[in-house]
Amino acid sequence: MPSREAQLFVLAIAGLSGPAYFLFQIQDQKTFRSILFSALVSIAGFAATKWLLPVVARKTLARGICGKDLNKKGTPAGETPIPESAGLAPAAVFLLCIICFELIHYYDINSLVSWVSSGFRGQLQLELLPDSWLVDYNAALASIGFMVFLGFADDVLDIPWRVKLVLPLFAALPLLVAYSGGTGVAVPKPLQAAIGLPSFLELGLLYKAYMVLLAIFCTNSINILAGVNGLEAGQTFIVACAMLLHNLMQLAGHAGSVPEVRDAHLFSVYLALPLAATTLGLLVFNWYPSAVFVGDTFTYFAGMTIAVAGILGHFSETLLLFLIPQVFNFLYSVPQLFGLVFCPRHRLPVFDPATGLLRPKDAPDWNLVNLTLQLFGPCSENALCVRILAMQGACCALGFGLRWALAGIYK
Ligand code: UD1
Ligand code: MG
């Protein structure tokens, strides 16, 4: 395997080069500048996460918030306590980033730049944002902040599974109340003809119920595709980059000139950018061999942010295409999650200290981690993570392809 740094470098370049390309294709200067500005804040967010993480790790370890590296059992590395809840660092920095964006976008960026360069003299102009924009911002902040709190509570208090499952329901409520977008769906052409449906179906409350289910799904599905060094943060980084790419492609194309659609994608960029940046900062420490565990603090935070960015960006159906591995893993896990098949506390493979390889248990647990080992054979923990992340990348690419192919039958 290439060195740890080389692997992380390739992951970062693979994820970010597409979005960078489309950023420079955006015609509207105001849109371009505001994203560039958010990108600069996010780069600072990456640096801040890298700085804050060792501080958080030292403190959580001192408080006994730590775990054993289960896929290294039988070696000295398997006995060393590893700080848990490292997700606190990216989550805190992420929240700071979007609070900064909120302040910045409240003021006109050009006027802000000339105000600062004139030594804080003169009048600062307000950028006249629509009210709904601020409502969306604060709802996103409330939902994501609440989920970080619940995740940390789970790390410290070990909340039972059935309770865990419904927690995002409460966290999603502020978002639901604030949501000002449409509550209808475009009906595919063949369905319109077959059962006489209109081209657009207003779903009302049903759509809002779907939004809550999406928030519950996203938070839990990232949390249960886990337990391998780098996997939780790695999948989050890839999905955040895919969302970023989708938003920027839309903004560089036709959608960029329709104010409502543009604002939704722009808003989604403001969430996906700092998510990708802070997660990359976390990966520096969490990639194999992990110096920290992300904790439920991170998995819940990441899941909720992805859901919010998809919902407020108005592309939750496309988002589900990016989450094919999570959807599959969730469905495949249902028998164990609902107790039809025995479900141990950790659904992880067995580590063989003699060969350094992971293999499924004799009665393999029902998840994608074990299925990958069953399909492709035993491998090292590092290789297992890379294999699953490669699948994640391929599914995101497939998502873009399917979107493109399906566009024809929608319109
Ligand atoms: C979920 C999974 C569980 C999996 C666990 C691993 C379900 C229903 N639950 O539970 O099967 O074992 O996540 O995160 O699918 N750990 C490692 N290496 C890693 C990351 C975590 O060994 O790279 C271990 C550490 O001991 C760590 C613990 O997993 O302390 C964290 O588990 P936690 O997040 O509390 O588990 P759950 O989210 O409840
Ligand atoms: Mg977890």
Side-chain angles (χ1 to χ4, degrees), residues 337-348:
L337 292 185
F338 292 97
L340 303 173
V341 175
F342 170 70
C343 183
R345 171 68 183 83
H346 287 287
R347 300 191 300 156
L348 294 176

Side-chain angles (χ1 to χ4, degrees), residues 154-155 164 223-224 226 232 295-296 299-300:
D154 188 16
D155 279 337
K164 269 192 203 196
N223 189 36
I224 65 172
E232 299 92 325
D296 291 347
T299 52
Y300 286 7

Side-chain angles (χ1 to χ4, degrees), residues 305-320:
T305 307
I306 289 171
V308 172
I311 290 170
L312 293 182
H314 302 167
F315 62 92
S316 55
E317 296 89 345
T318 303
L319 174 61
L320 282 177

Side-chain angles (χ1 to χ4, degrees), residues 85-99:
S85 300
L88 268 180
V93 173
F94 172 90
L95 289 172
L96 264 175
C97 283
I98 58 168
I99 291 169

Side-chain angles (χ1 to χ4, degrees), residues 90-110:
V93 173
F94 172 90
L95 289 172
L96 264 175
C97 283
I98 58 168
I99 291 169
C100 280
F101 295 169
E102 185 171 14
L103 287 172
I104 297 296
H105 293 116
Y106 191 61
Y107 296 105
D108 179 48
I109 293 183
N110 294 322

Side-chain angles (χ1 to χ4, degrees), residues 212-296:
V212 175
L213 287 179
L214 188 71
I216 296 183
F217 167 74
C218 285
T219 43
N220 283 293
S221 68
I222 300 232
N223 189 36
I224 65 172
L225 186 52
V228 177
N229 287 186
L231 184 57
E232 299 92 325
Q235 62 185 303
T236 302
F237 178 74
I238 295 173
V239 172
C241 288
M243 295 174 87
L244 205 53
L245 182 61
H246 172 61
N247 285 315
L248 292 172
M249 280 168 82
Q250 296 295 316
L251 286 167
H254 276 313
S257 51
V258 185
E260 251 173 46
V261 184
R262 179 198 62 206
D263 285 354
H265 284 298
L266 207 47
F267 194 87
S268 185
V269 169
Y270 297 151
L271 297 177
L273 250 177
L275 178 64
T278 55
T279 301
L280 198 58
L282 170 64
L283 271 170
V284 171
F285 301 88
N286 180 245
W287 193 255
Y288 178 88
S290 295
V292 299
F293 289 145
V294 301
D296 291 347

